[in-house]
Amino acid sequence: MKLVFSAMALCGLAACGGSSVGGAGGGADMSPQVPSLSQFETSVRSFGATAERIDGLKGTVPRNIPSSGTSTFAGPALLSVDGFSNSYAMTGDSRLTINFANDDMRGGVTNFRGVDETGRGVNVAGQIAFTDGLVGSDDTSGLFAVDFNGNLTAGSDRIALDGIAIGNFEGNRTSGNIRTRAIQAVSGTSGSFIVDQGFPPSMTATMNGNTAIADFAFVGEN
C-alpha cells in the first residue's frame, strides 16, 4: 500500500494562496532559515523527487522486516498549517530511528524553511519530535505508526501539533540485517488534503490557540 500521495499536489496547495505547508515543535532551532520563494520551491521539488523515488520501490515484504536491530531513516518532510487568517508552507529535514526489537522510535523534523500564503519567506523556529511508535505485524505487516508533537512559531504565529503518522516500509534488500530500504508516512487533521484523499484524521493542530487545518508528510532512506 502506497501512502505518499502526489507531493506536488500538496506543495501546490501549500505555496499557492490557500492552505500551506508548515511547522515544527518542541524547541526553537538555533538558526531559523528565512528562504526566498525560489529556495522554498527548490526544497519542495527535492521532497517530490525523493518521494517519487521511494514510491517507485516495492513494499517491503514481511520476511524482510527485521525483529531486531536499529535503523535510521533520513529524508525531507512537508508540513502545511492553515489558521484561516494566516497559513504557512514549510519543508524540513526528518530523521526517524527505529529499534525493531522493542518498537522504540525516536527522532524528529528540524531545519524548517517556510513561506506564508503570499509566498514570502518567514522565520520558522521549532521542531517536530517523534516520541513513540509501533511496527505492524500479521495483517498490518509492512506498516508502522509513530507519535509526534511540536510547538513552533512561524513569523509571529504560534503553532501546536499533536498526532500519529501512519507509514509503510519500502524496498527489499537481498542481504544484511535491515533489508527494508525506505519509509514514507502521512498525517492530517479533519478537513486536510490528506484526509480528503481517504486517510482518517490522525492529527490535531492549533494556531494561536485556535483550531487549524494541517497536513504532514515525511519520507526517509537508510
Side-chain angles (χ1 to χ4, degrees), residues 134-146:
L134 181 67
V135 176
S137 60
D138 299 325
D139 291 344
T140 59
S141 182
L143 304 178
F144 70 92
V146 61

Side-chain angles (χ1 to χ4, degrees), residues 19-20 80-84 189-193 203 205-206 211-215:
S19 296
S20 321
S80 71
V81 181
D82 186 350
F84 303 102
T189 65
S190 296
S192 67
F193 174 82
M203 171 172 50
T206 62
T211 299
I213 294 175
D215 289 281

Side-chain angles (χ1 to χ4, degrees), residues 20-23 79-83 86-88 159 161 206-207 212-214:
S20 321
V21 172
L79 179 65
S80 71
V81 181
D82 186 350
N86 295 324
S87 57
Y88 299 97
I159 298 167
L161 307 168
T206 62
M207 184 180 294
I213 294 175

Side-chain angles (χ1 to χ4, degrees), residues 30-43:
M30 296 303 294
S31 302
Q33 302 176 52
V34 181
S36 66
L37 180 58
S38 63
Q39 289 172 329
F40 176 76
E41 290 172 340
T42 296
S43 65

Side-chain angles (χ1 to χ4, degrees), residues 12-151:
L13 190 72
C16 306
S19 296
S20 321
V21 172
D29 289 343
M30 296 303 294
S31 302
Q33 302 176 52
V34 181
S36 66
L37 180 58
S38 63
Q39 289 172 329
F40 176 76
E41 290 172 340
T42 296
S43 65
V44 165
R45 286 192 292 271
S46 176
F47 176 94
T50 304
E52 184 175 6
R53 181 172 64 252
I54 292 174
D55 205 48
L57 300 172
K58 291 184 178 180
T60 306
V61 298
R63 68 176 181 274
N64 284 341
I65 297 175
S67 58
S68 62
T70 299
S71 185
T72 297
F73 299 87
L78 290 174
L79 179 65
S80 71
V81 181
D82 186 350
F84 303 102
S85 57
N86 295 324
S87 57
Y88 299 97
M90 303 178 206
T91 63
D93 301 324
S94 69
R95 186 178 181 88
L96 176 64
T97 298
I98 301 176
N99 184 325
F100 288 96
N102 58 16
D103 289 353
D104 182 62
M105 297 187 192
R106 292 290 182 268
V109 184
T110 58
N111 301 322
F112 281 97
R113 298 159 289 277
V115 297
D116 64 16
E117 65 274 8
T118 70
R120 179 180 60 88
V122 294
N123 185 321
V124 180
Q127 57 187 320
I128 291 174
F130 298 135
T131 59
D132 200 1
L134 181 67
V135 176
S137 60
D138 299 325
D139 291 344
T140 59
S141 182
L143 304 178
F144 70 92
V146 61
D147 296 339
F148 66 89
N149 61 68
N151 295 293

